[in-house]
Every structure is written in C-alpha cells, then in structure tokens.
Amino acid sequence: MAETDAALRTLAHNVRTARARADLSLDELGRRAKVSKGALVGLEKAQGNPNFATLVRLADTLGVSVSALLDGPAEGRVRVASADAVMPLWAGERGSEARLMLTTSGPAPVEVWRWRLEPGEEYASHPHQAGVVETVSVTSGRMALVVDGTEHPVEAGQTATFDGDAPHTYRGAGDETCHLIMTVHLPPGPAPTP
C-alpha cells in the first residue's frame, strides 16, 4: 500500500509540475485531455486511480511521456529495468499486458514498452499528438497492427513503424502469444524552465 501511495504522490507532483510548465488551468487541461476537472483535482491531490488511457491523454496533452508523469527523480547515469519489477499499465481479460519499461531522457524522449498479446485480444489506442512515431518489433508470435482502419500483419522478426497521430490497434493474431517491443518516439517537448 505504501508503494501505491508513493506512486500516487509522485504522479500528482509530476502532473501539477507539467501543467504549470504548460501554463494550463485545470479546466483547460481537462478540456484538452477529455478528463473531468474533478478527476484532475483528485489526481493532483494524490487521490483516485487513473487508468492507462487517462495517463496517455494527459501525457499527450502536456507534451510529456507517460513515464515523465510516473517516474520519480533520476537515480543515476545508467538505468536498468527488469520486466518483473515493472507493473503493467494495461492488462487484458485474456492475459495480455503492456509494461512501460523506461523512457529515455533528452529533448525528444523515447518510451520503451514490452507487450504480450494473447490470440484475439486487442488494445485500441486513441490518436496521439502530432509528431509521435511508434515502432513495433515482434519477437515471437504474430500480431495485427491496425492503423487508420487498415490492417497490417506483423510476424516474429518483423518491425513496423507508423505515425501515432492516427487511430491504431494492436491485436494478437494466430494461435500463440505474441511478444513485442514497442517504442514511442515523442516530439521535442517544451524547454524546461530554469
């Protein structure tokens, strides 16, 4: 329970800081991210339990990575992340999951995700902000990548990339579990204030 409380406090602090940096009121952030003002007030007070879609919409609206909202201060020059130490940010009913492993630093960060898609299970994503590019590399199994209504099969050993500002869906295909690494390349964000 203490870890959850600490994570909520970190999230609350990071959302407040990013909102102030973007010079957005709670009303304006809520309108742009399609999140109620009440939910935002609770979030900034470290209350509630925002879902993955809400975190993605907030990050997109604030021009930051999802992990920029979740991470505490950097602990050193090298970060090593173990999949079993990272909680899934999305879990499907059939056992599929997505884990945000880490986000690189710098003016144009890159998120690195590990996904497991069970056959027939899918995750539909809303369009991201302009300039976001996603890349999926299937390490085992098969998936169907649907971008702007067009389905693209991607098999083990193949990599696909696309502009993330269109509706897109990841779906497990075939008879076995699909494992993939996804990277989300974010456009340069606002310069930090001194």
Side-chain angles (χ1 to χ4, degrees), residues 26-27 35-44 47:
L26 283 168
D27 287 325
V35 176
S36 74
K37 182 179 178 180
L40 286 174
V41 168
L43 182 61
E44 288 194 2
Q47 300 168 346

Side-chain angles (χ1 to χ4, degrees), residues 3 17 29-30 39 44 56 60 88 118 135 139 142 144 157 160 179 181 186:
E3 284 182 15
T17 301
L29 176 58
E44 288 194 2
V56 171
D60 280 349
E118 296 301 329
T135 301
T139 58
R142 302 190 285 150
H179 293 271
I181 303 294
L186 302 164

